[in-house]
């Protein structure tokens, strides 16, 4: 099974958006339209072969998810296949840890490459042969300019470059020098192999680009076999060619590299995929460059690649995102040719939409104050029925323990309430969810005037939360039984950056000045329903009235640790309404 979805509850990206609810057929995006047209004209003999080609130099992020859902999605929808290929041509920055995390993340997102797992480094021999072929054709030469000189000779956008003094070496000399480069006779950076195209070309990428450089470095897969490594622009097109990719889908910044890929493949007479460029994903309050994410990790500004504030797939997973939420988001944003920035509120909207359907409800108190029910018999307790998910009747009910001493949210009580505060106050009756009506009779304070406990009475006739006499209350509060509840640590997250565009900085500063000092708040004195002690890492819940939470990997039965995934309030609907009015 290749290019297909596992656990496919919400099919990603076939162009008809189930989330819009309107039921109308949506137009295919421009990439899918090209694939559909090619099938129509039989351009590729009925084949659809795409690939996702990460460089294993960091963890995947939500931007990569867009590319993954596009490539694997197209393969699944058009009966083709999608390769997972590691573009591992730079030994200095690449590691097995990254390879492992990337495969885990693509699989977690719900995609399957079947047997089509490839490594660019597996083609090093083939690339070398192709390079020799170009030398023999008089289309490549060994150049002795230093990196700095090469840059100087290259010219600028407005000035043409200059020919290298080594440009006219004979084929024999080039073949000899290139072989000796491979054998390790020359030090790092002393020579390169360059394509012989046109040093005055209007497109800088065409000005005799470097194909190979000398780097005496261990590669995580090929060890010390090679001391020359292919440059990205030389390697990338060849990898697509060797695998006979039909549609080589990449981001816009590669548009002006396409003529170079075309040149290489045409000169070699090699198989030639079609390259299609689309706009990369940018998100507000988020940095997406791997270099910047690596800096956050290395400088200890976050706890690691999977810090729940990171936009990495592993961070989002630990935060409590579901694969379906991410896939739905990628489908919603669509694919186009113009760079833009997506509001993070849309990502959160897609998340809530999925979690609302799938998360069991539980009660938890994050900022507790004790409540004593004076007329409830001491030592007694009972179990009340609570609904697991009102959006999903098949989720059933559970038992929640109730007893004389409870915790409620400190914010749900006010001694001196203003007119619009309807929750608990002295003399006022409210409903405890699934339990009873209670009335506050007394407030106990410490020497500093801080409230330490509340006393209430309950009405036994209201068991389950309804008064037989039809009497009403204006508020329903969540609660936990003090004796039964588990004490938990809850981690509350906010955006990692304070600015919509974290790269908006003064001269001389870098993006880290925009880090949000309040992006993590740890509460250690929270209380949760005892059922949560059995939950496993990554299990997701809705804490009633508070938001969606997920069990962290630091959690244990003795000490549950929960991450707040996202609050309940959806800001996206509001933003959208505002946009429609304009
Ligand atoms: P770097 O930031 O180091 O240049 P990259 O983010 O481009 O790297 P790659 O490993 O080369 O990382 O990316 C793999 C694939 O994911 C590429 O095909 C790339 O086009 C795509 N991709 C990367 N970032 C985004 C993004 N923000 N939106 C959509 N696709 C992306
Ligand atoms: Mg890249």
């Amino acid at each position: 099974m290749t290019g297909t979805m596992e656990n496919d509850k919400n099919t990603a990206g076939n162009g008809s958006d189930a989330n819009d609810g309107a039921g109308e057929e949506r137009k295919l995006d421009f990439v899918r339209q090209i694939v559909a047209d090619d099938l129509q004209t039989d351009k590729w003999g009925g084949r659809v072969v795409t690939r996702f080609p990460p460089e294993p130099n960091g963890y995947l992020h939500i931007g990569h998810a867009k590319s993954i859902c596009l490539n694997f999605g197209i393969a699944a929808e058009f009966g083709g296949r999608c390769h997972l290929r590691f573009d591992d041509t730079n030994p200095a920055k690449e590691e097995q840890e990254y390879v492992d995390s990337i495969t885990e993340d693509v699989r977690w997102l719900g995609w399957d490459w079947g047997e089509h797992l490839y490594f660019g480094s597996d083609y090093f021999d083939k690339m070398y042969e192709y390079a020799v072929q170009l030398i023999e054709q008089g289309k490549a030469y060994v150049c002795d300019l230093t990196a700095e000189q090469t840059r100087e000779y290259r010219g600028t956008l407005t000035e043409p470059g200059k020919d290298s003094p080594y440009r006219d070496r004979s084929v024999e000399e080039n073949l000899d020098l290139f072989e000796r480069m491979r054998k390790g006779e020359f030090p790092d950076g002393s020579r390169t192999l360059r394509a012989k195209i046109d040093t005055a070309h209007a497109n800088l990428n065409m000005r005799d680009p470097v194909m190979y450089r000398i780097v005496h470095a261990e590669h995580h897969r090929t060890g010390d076999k090679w001391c020359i490594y292919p440059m990205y622009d030389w390697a990338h097109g060849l990898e697509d060619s060797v695998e006979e990719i039909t549609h080589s889908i990449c981001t816009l910044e590669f548009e002006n590299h396409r003529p170079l890929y075309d040149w290489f493949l045409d000169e070699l007479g090699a198989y030639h995929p079609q390259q299609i460029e689309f706009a990369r994903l940018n998100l507000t309050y988020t940095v997406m460059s791997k270099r910047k994410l690596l800096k956050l990790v290395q400088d200890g500004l976050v706890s690691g690649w999977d810090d729940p504030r990171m936009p990495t797939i592993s961070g989002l997973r630990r935060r409590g995102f579901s694969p379906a939420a991410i896939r739905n988001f990628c489908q919603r944003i669509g694919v186009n040719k113009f760079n833009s920035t997506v509001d993070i509120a849309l990502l959160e909207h897609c998340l809530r939409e999925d979690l609302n359907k799938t998360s069991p409800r539980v009660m938890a108190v994050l900022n507790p104050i004790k409540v004593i029910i004076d007329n409830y018999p001491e030592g007694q307790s009972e179990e009340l029925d609570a609904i697991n998910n009102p959006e999903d009747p098949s989720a059933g009910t559970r038992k929640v323990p109730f007893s004389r001493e409870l915790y409620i949210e400190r914010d749900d009580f006010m001694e001196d309430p203003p007119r619009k505060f309807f929750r608990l106050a002295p003399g006022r009756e409210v409903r405890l969810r699934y339990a009873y009506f209670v009335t506050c009779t007394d407030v106990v304070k410490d020497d500093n005037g801080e409230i330490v406990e509340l006393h209430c009475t309950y009405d036994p006739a209201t068991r389950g939360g309804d008064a037989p006499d039809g009497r009403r209350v204006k508020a329903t509060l969540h609660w936990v039984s003090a004796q039964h509840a588990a004490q938990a640590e809850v981690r509350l997250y906010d955006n990692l950056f304070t600015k919509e565009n974290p790269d908006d900085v003064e001269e001389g500063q870098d993006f880290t000045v925009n880090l949000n000092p309040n992006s993590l708040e740890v509460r250690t004195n929270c209380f949760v329903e005892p059922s949560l002690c059995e939950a496993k890492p990554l299990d997701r819940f809705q804490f009633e009235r508070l938001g969606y939470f997920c069990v962290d990997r630091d959690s244990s039965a003795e000490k549950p640790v929960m991450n707040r995934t996202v609050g309940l309030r959806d800001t996206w609907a509001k933003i959208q309404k505002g946009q429609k009015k304009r």
Side-chain angles (χ1 to χ4, degrees):
M1 194 173 68
T2 57
T4 50
M5 308 266 328
E6 294 169 342
N7 311 325
D8 191 5
K9 270 198 213 143
N10 296 298
T11 310
N14 63 1
S16 63
D17 187 347
N19 297 317
D20 277 0
E24 63 200 63
E25 272 292 307
R26 271 245 229 120
K27 263 186 66 196
L28 291 183
D29 62 59
F30 83 97
V31 183
R32 287 177 166 86
Q33 192 61 56
I34 292 171
V35 175
D37 291 347
D38 287 352
L39 279 172
Q40 193 86 47
T41 60
D42 207 28
K43 178 172 173 184
W44 303 101
R47 293 185 311 123
V48 174
V49 186
T50 57
R51 85 287 180 263
F52 174 64
E55 186 184 347
N57 62 352
Y59 280 55
L60 296 182
H61 53 60
I62 182 76
H64 293 116
K66 176 176 180 178
S67 175
I68 292 167
C69 291
L70 181 61
N71 281 292
F72 280 93
I74 284 176
E77 291 150 34
F78 292 95
R81 65 174 199 246
C82 180
H83 299 181
L84 175 60
R85 180 209 310 141
F86 287 98
D87 208 331
D88 56 349
T89 52
N90 182 1
K93 291 186 175 165
E94 296 163 5
E95 289 172 29
Q96 187 61 36
E97 176 194 346
Y98 298 136
V99 172
D100 295 341
S101 74
I102 290 169
T103 45
E104 181 186 356
D105 289 350
V106 177
R107 207 171 272 139
W108 178 76
L109 279 173
W111 304 103
D112 181 10
W113 51 90
E115 61 202 318
H116 299 285
L117 174 66
Y118 301 107
F119 290 85
S121 56
D122 288 345
Y123 313 141
F124 281 173
D125 282 301
K126 183 76 193 164
M127 290 176 196
Y128 184 82
E129 273 171 41
Y130 273 140
V132 168
Q133 183 187 332
L134 277 193
I135 295 173
E136 284 167 346
Q137 290 170 211
K139 298 291 184 181
Y141 60 96
V142 172
C143 179
D144 302 355
L145 293 179
T146 62
E148 197 183 327
Q149 287 169 326
T150 307
R151 238 184 333 270
E152 276 165 25
Y153 272 68
R154 198 163 171 238
T156 63
L157 277 174
T158 50
E159 274 171 60
K162 280 188 302 184
D163 283 2
S164 158
Y166 307 97
R167 198 170 197 261
D168 291 319
R169 275 178 165 153
S170 69
V171 169
E172 290 69 34
E173 190 183 1
N174 282 321
L175 285 173
D176 174 60
L177 285 172
F178 188 48
E179 193 185 346
R180 288 164 61 197
M181 275 170 67
R182 178 178 66 84
K183 282 186 177 156
E185 289 187 22
F186 310 121
D188 284 4
S190 59
R191 291 193 154 94
T192 57
L193 183 73
R194 298 177 66 179
K196 194 167 177 177
I197 307 178
D198 178 358
T199 55
H201 202 287
N203 182 339
L204 266 77
N205 295 314
M206 300 293 274
R207 293 182 186 173
D208 287 14
V210 172
M211 295 161 59
Y212 277 94
R213 61 210 170 102
I214 302 174
V215 187
H216 291 263
E218 284 263 326
H219 185 279
H220 70 107
R221 282 178 64 85
T222 58
D224 60 2
K225 177 172 176 192
W226 296 91
C227 62
I228 56 171
Y229 286 95
M231 301 299 288
Y232 182 86
D233 277 348
W234 165 244
H236 192 76
L238 294 183
E239 292 163 8
D240 283 343
S241 173
V242 171
E243 291 174 22
E244 302 203 341
I245 300 300
T246 56
H247 300 86
S248 167
I249 302 166
C250 62
T251 43
L252 286 179
E253 61 280 18
F254 291 100
E255 197 161 17
N256 60 7
H257 295 239
R258 176 154 36 94
L260 176 57
Y261 303 161
D262 289 345
W263 187 90
F264 281 138
L265 295 175
D266 289 346
E267 291 296 332
L268 293 168
Y271 174 94
H272 201 147
Q274 176 178 3
Q275 176 169 310
I276 306 167
E277 304 90 8
F278 72 99
R280 62 169 51 237
L281 169 68
N282 301 298
L283 264 188
T284 56
Y285 299 101
T286 307
V287 297
M288 213 87 92
S289 135
K290 278 194 273 190
R291 184 178 56 77
K292 290 178 189 154
L293 297 177
L294 181 64
K295 182 179 167 61
L296 292 174
V297 173
Q298 284 181 336
D299 294 359
L301 299 168
V302 294
S303 68
W305 285 100
D306 74 343
D307 186 305
R309 294 166 294 178
M310 289 280 271
T312 51
I313 305 298
S314 52
L316 297 174
R317 173 168 62 230
R318 189 172 171 194
R319 174 84 169 250
F321 276 71
S322 59
I326 295 176
R327 294 197 305 260
N328 286 341
F329 169 73
C330 291
Q331 184 181 352
R332 272 291 179 95
I333 56 177
V335 182
N336 62 48
K337 276 261 178 202
F338 307 96
N339 279 318
S340 63
T341 302
V342 174
D343 198 310
I344 198 161
L346 176 59
L347 178 62
E348 293 175 350
H349 172 78
C350 295
L351 176 61
R352 284 189 194 92
E353 206 167 52
D354 182 60
L355 296 182
N356 182 41
K357 282 181 289 184
T358 55
S359 306
R361 274 58 170 167
V362 293
M363 292 195 283
V365 175
L366 304 192
N367 185 12
I369 181 159
K370 186 166 269 184
V371 173
I372 297 163
I373 314 284
D374 289 324
N375 59 338
Y376 195 88
E378 240 166 290
Q380 183 176 311
S381 71
E382 64 188 300
E383 297 211 301
L384 299 161
D385 289 316
I387 294 167
N388 283 335
N389 187 350
E391 302 286 320
D392 176 9
S394 74
T397 60
R398 70 184 181 289
K399 299 284 185 193
V400 182
F402 184 88
S403 63
R404 183 178 152 95
E405 295 196 3
L406 312 169
Y407 291 113
I408 66 166
E409 218 63 68
R410 195 167 273 272
D411 298 348
D412 280 339
F413 175 81
M414 278 185 95
E415 196 175 10
D416 215 352
R419 231 163 37 104
K420 291 212 163 153
F421 184 89
F422 299 117
R423 293 166 276 163
L424 197 61
R428 186 178 293 169
E429 186 171 55
V430 298
R431 175 189 294 111
L432 295 181
R433 186 119 161 106
Y434 303 124
Y436 295 99
F437 284 13
V438 295
T439 305
C440 179
T441 52
D442 198 12
V443 180
V444 179
K445 296 182 188 173
D446 64 14
D447 295 344
N448 303 322
E450 180 101 15
I451 300 175
V452 289
E453 62 185 42
L454 303 173
H455 286 260
C456 291
T457 55
Y458 85 118
D459 177 357
T462 58
R463 190 174 198 270
D466 278 310
D469 63 2
R471 139 178 135 254
R472 304 239 189 169
V473 288
K474 284 198 168 144
T476 301
L477 309 187
H478 62 273
W479 52 274
V480 293
S481 161
Q483 162 200 348
H484 300 93
Q487 190 168 0
E489 175 175 319
V490 174
R491 300 172 183 171
L492 304 172
Y493 301 102
D494 196 357
N495 291 332
L496 190 50
F497 294 95
T498 52
K499 281 198 182 161
E500 267 196 28
N501 174 11
D503 289 319
D504 176 12
V505 294
E506 305 279 312
E507 209 172 311
Q509 297 181 324
D510 80 355
F511 71 102
T512 56
V513 300
N514 289 325
L515 277 167
N516 177 5
N518 304 315
S519 59
L520 169 60
E521 184 193 339
V522 179
R523 302 249 184 109
T524 50
N525 190 36
C526 305
F527 291 94
V528 299
E529 274 183 37
S531 63
L532 275 182
C533 291
E534 284 143 48
K536 294 183 301 298
L538 299 188
D539 281 354
R540 308 180 191 98
F541 299 90
Q542 186 194 99
F543 288 180
E544 296 218 19
R545 300 176 64 224
L546 296 175
Y548 296 97
F549 292 75
C550 139
V551 182
D552 191 75
R553 61 172 164 75
D554 295 341
S555 192
S556 67
E558 295 72 49
K559 182 157 184 256
V561 179
M562 307 288 299
N563 295 316
R564 181 172 67 192
T565 308
V566 68
L568 290 176
R569 225 183 68 219
D570 195 340
T571 50
W572 178 246
K574 214 162 115 198
I575 292 168
Q576 239 179 351
K577 239 185 235 158
Q579 279 168 347
K580 274 187 191 144
K581 265 188 212 142
R582 256 186 262 147

